[in-house]
Amino acid sequence: MRKNSWLQKVLYGVMAVLGAYIMYKSGALLAARNQMQKTMETGSVQQSLEDSAMRTWSLAYTATVEGKKITGWLAAWFQQVVPVLSYVAEEEGRVEESEAVTAERTQWPGEKESTYAEETEKDGETLAKNEPGTETQTRDDTEIQMEAEAETEAEAKAEAETKTEAETEIAAETEAAAYDDVLQEVAVGTIFSQAIPLLSDFSYLLTNYYTVDEDTKADAELLDAEELLSMDLSMEQDSSVPQILIYHTHSQEAFADSAEDEVGDTVVGMGEILADELRGYGYNVIHDTGVYDLLDGVLDRSAAYDYAREAVEAILEEYPTIEVIIDLHRDGVEGDEEDFVTEIDGETTSKIMFFNGLSRNADGESLSWLPNDYLTENLAFSLQLQVLANVEYPGFTRKIYLQAERYNLHLRARSLLIEAGTQLNTVEEEKNAMAPIANLIWQILS
């Protein structure tokens, strides 16, 4: 065989190629493993393999070319290949052990018994947990913390929104109440500003808003609509002290179905209802129920205004904070009951009439013995109420009645004489009129 050296060389070459092929396939199979790929990324295994391969194939090439003995280069070849395969196997084992330790350290509490193939459902999605041979889905500490913070923030936001909703509702109600007076003032002011151009026509104003008694006279200078409607009659509300006084010069006035000797069925009873309505708006109201039209038990109205004036002056001296005075009456008329009723909010209600004493005679001259420094303010108060009533409660008021006398309207700038209903109206119709009256007064004073 030695003499056939060329044949030996061919056989050795074939064996070398087969050996190289076997080593290549073995290395390729091992390198395909995920663990080996990760290990080879560090460069240590790759370097060792390259070194061994160079040592192996350089010796084999030299032996083949130079014709050296089989035992020399073949032994060297196996001597190099075996350590390489052994090293690869050892590295794979170390990688597997390292990953197992890492996986155990990163498991969540309560997952000690879980396996890589196990799946868990989180937020409606199934997440595969580190199954070998597949693309792994991991949740690092930063991601977990961010999700926890997001959940906490969402819960806090939901709680804040629930709490804020109730607080917002309360705040809205408070704000609405705070602006109620301002909005009311704007609404009333708008009504008056729209009415001024029409009512500046004195003929129209006199014909549609007033009834002038034959014993007195009113002119355009006295009834200047722009001046009267532009006057500010509002007052600063202070419920801690009396600000409104209601009294009755003619306390014995009753209604169509009033029970005998029942004060509640008379104009005095209506005065108490009106006082309660105004108290509902936050005013401190005094209701004087004194009797000024009876003399020794007999009806006598000849001096009723004098008696009433003395009583009211005494009250004003005791309570100087009073700014509004209302003398509540019931009118005596001729006609049919249906002429003196209207309907408000579905209820039959008696009509009312504002009354002004001009302290002027039929020639328009002032009555010097009945001076009234508040005449313009009195006229402004009644006209503003009349214009507002025509918008708020159409048909509720009759025309303002103007008469020559003073009727104690000189005691305060905001003095009213109201004829609430007539002897033809029922007690119930009268009661129904008190709430609208109170509402109109509140709107002007606000």
Side-chain angles (χ1 to χ4, degrees):
M1 292 292 293
R2 293 179 180 272
K3 293 180 179 180
N4 299 324
S5 58
W6 63 270
L7 182 59
Q8 290 178 347
K9 291 180 180 181
V10 170
L11 291 175
Y12 292 158
V14 170
M15 292 176 65
V17 171
L18 290 174
Y21 177 76
I22 292 171
M23 187 182 69
Y24 168 75
K25 292 298 290 185
S26 300
L29 290 173
L30 289 172
R33 302 290 296 272
N34 292 332
Q35 294 87 346
M36 277 306 302
Q37 289 180 355
K38 293 179 181 179
T39 304
M40 291 181 67
E41 289 175 359
T42 64
S44 59
V45 173
Q46 183 177 358
Q47 185 65 47
S48 297
L49 288 172
E50 290 174 352
D51 291 345
S52 298
M54 287 300 296
R55 289 193 300 270
T56 299
W57 301 122
S58 62
L59 291 173
Y61 176 78
T62 302
T64 301
V65 173
E66 295 180 0
K68 292 193 175 184
K69 295 182 179 181
I70 299 175
T71 54
W73 66 263
L74 187 59
W77 182 80
F78 278 106
Q79 191 176 16
Q80 296 298 327
V81 169
V82 171
V84 170
L85 297 177
S86 176
Y87 180 82
V88 169
E90 289 176 0
E91 279 299 316
E92 181 178 4
R94 282 195 292 271
V95 170
E96 289 179 342
E97 181 180 0
S98 176
E99 289 191 349
V101 172
T102 303
E104 182 177 1
R105 289 177 179 175
T106 57
Q107 281 178 335
W108 291 2
E111 293 185 351
K112 292 293 184 180
E113 304 299 325
S114 64
T115 63
Y116 288 115
E118 182 181 5
E119 292 185 345
T120 182
E121 195 165 279
K122 180 70 174 178
D123 297 332
E125 297 181 359
T126 303
L127 301 177
K129 298 167 63 177
N130 300 334
E131 183 178 355
T134 63
E135 183 178 353
T136 58
Q137 297 181 355
T138 62
R139 302 178 58 176
D140 56 26
D141 294 340
T142 302
E143 182 180 357
I144 295 172
Q145 183 177 359
M146 289 176 64
E147 291 183 0
E149 291 177 353
E151 291 177 0
T152 303
E153 183 178 353
E155 292 175 358
K157 183 178 180 181
E159 182 179 356
E161 287 178 352
T162 302
K163 183 178 180 181
T164 303
E165 184 177 353
E167 292 178 346
T168 301
E169 185 176 351
I170 295 174
E173 292 177 356
T174 303
E175 184 177 359
Y179 283 103
D180 186 63
D181 289 345
V182 176
L183 294 175
Q184 188 61 55
E185 182 178 348
V186 171
V188 172
T190 300
I191 291 172
F192 293 163
S193 63
Q194 292 175 347
I196 287 174
L198 180 62
L199 301 187
S200 293
D201 181 342
F202 177 69
S203 178
Y204 179 88
L205 174 67
L206 194 64
T207 302
N208 293 278
Y209 281 79
Y210 292 100
T211 298
V212 183
D213 189 85
E214 59 182 8
D215 293 333
T216 192
K217 183 179 180 179
D219 53 31
E221 183 180 358
L222 181 66
L223 302 180
D224 184 338
E226 183 173 3
E227 178 186 8
L228 299 181
L229 293 179
S230 300
M231 188 174 295
D232 183 8
L233 295 175
S234 63
M235 67 180 188
E236 185 176 350
Q237 189 172 346
D238 183 2
S239 60
S240 65
V241 295
Q243 289 186 296
I244 299 177
L245 169 65
I246 299 175
Y247 75 103
H248 313 274
T249 301
H250 298 156
S251 63
Q252 303 305 301
E253 293 173 332
F255 306 97
D257 58 348
S258 296
E260 190 175 355
D261 298 327
E262 179 59 52
V263 176
D265 285 356
T266 67
V267 72
V268 176
M270 301 306 108
E272 186 58 31
I273 295 174
L274 178 59
D276 284 339
E277 291 287 344
L278 289 170
R279 289 167 186 143
Y281 286 104
Y283 296 109
N284 187 329
V285 183
I286 292 179
H287 182 208
D288 174 37
T289 59
V291 177
Y292 308 114
D293 54 351
L294 287 179
L295 183 60
D296 297 330
V298 178
L299 185 64
D300 184 357
R301 292 178 175 168
S302 59
Y305 281 97
D306 292 330
Y307 297 146
R309 183 183 66 254
E310 294 173 0
V312 170
E313 287 176 339
I315 294 172
L316 295 178
E317 185 176 356
E318 183 177 359
Y319 302 107
T321 55
I322 292 175
E323 298 184 60
V324 179
I325 300 176
I326 301 172
D327 186 4
L328 188 63
H329 288 252
R330 179 231 68 194
D331 200 9
V333 299
E334 295 180 358
D336 298 323
E337 180 185 3
E338 57 266 24
D339 295 331
F340 301 96
V341 294
T342 188
E343 188 173 295
I344 297 178
D345 296 331
E347 297 182 331
T348 303
T349 305
S350 63
K351 293 184 178 181
I352 67 170
M353 182 177 71
F354 299 115
F355 189 102
N356 283 100
L358 300 184
S359 298
R360 288 188 174 193
N361 59 24
D363 295 326
E365 299 172 341
S366 297
L367 303 179
S368 58
W369 64 93
L370 294 174
N372 182 359
D373 295 334
Y374 300 123
L375 177 59
T376 302
E377 289 84 350
N378 297 162
L379 289 169
F381 202 5
S382 61
L383 181 59
Q384 290 186 18
L385 287 166
Q386 183 81 5
V387 171
L388 183 60
N390 287 346
V391 175
E392 299 284 347
Y393 309 107
F396 179 48
T397 58
R398 296 154 60 193
K399 294 180 183 179
I400 301 171
Y401 198 89
L402 303 179
Q403 204 164 28
E405 305 295 326
R406 188 175 58 182
Y407 302 101
N408 292 331
L409 297 174
H410 65 294
L411 298 175
R412 283 292 186 270
R414 303 175 186 83
S415 292
L416 282 176
L417 194 160
I418 305 175
E419 297 282 1
T422 71
Q423 82 282 5
L424 303 176
N425 293 114
T426 66
V427 172
E428 189 63 26
E429 291 167 351
E430 288 297 308
K431 290 180 179 179
N432 293 340
M434 296 304 109
I437 293 174
N439 180 261
L440 293 171
I441 292 173
W442 167 71
Q443 291 194 61
I444 299 300
L445 297 181
S446 296

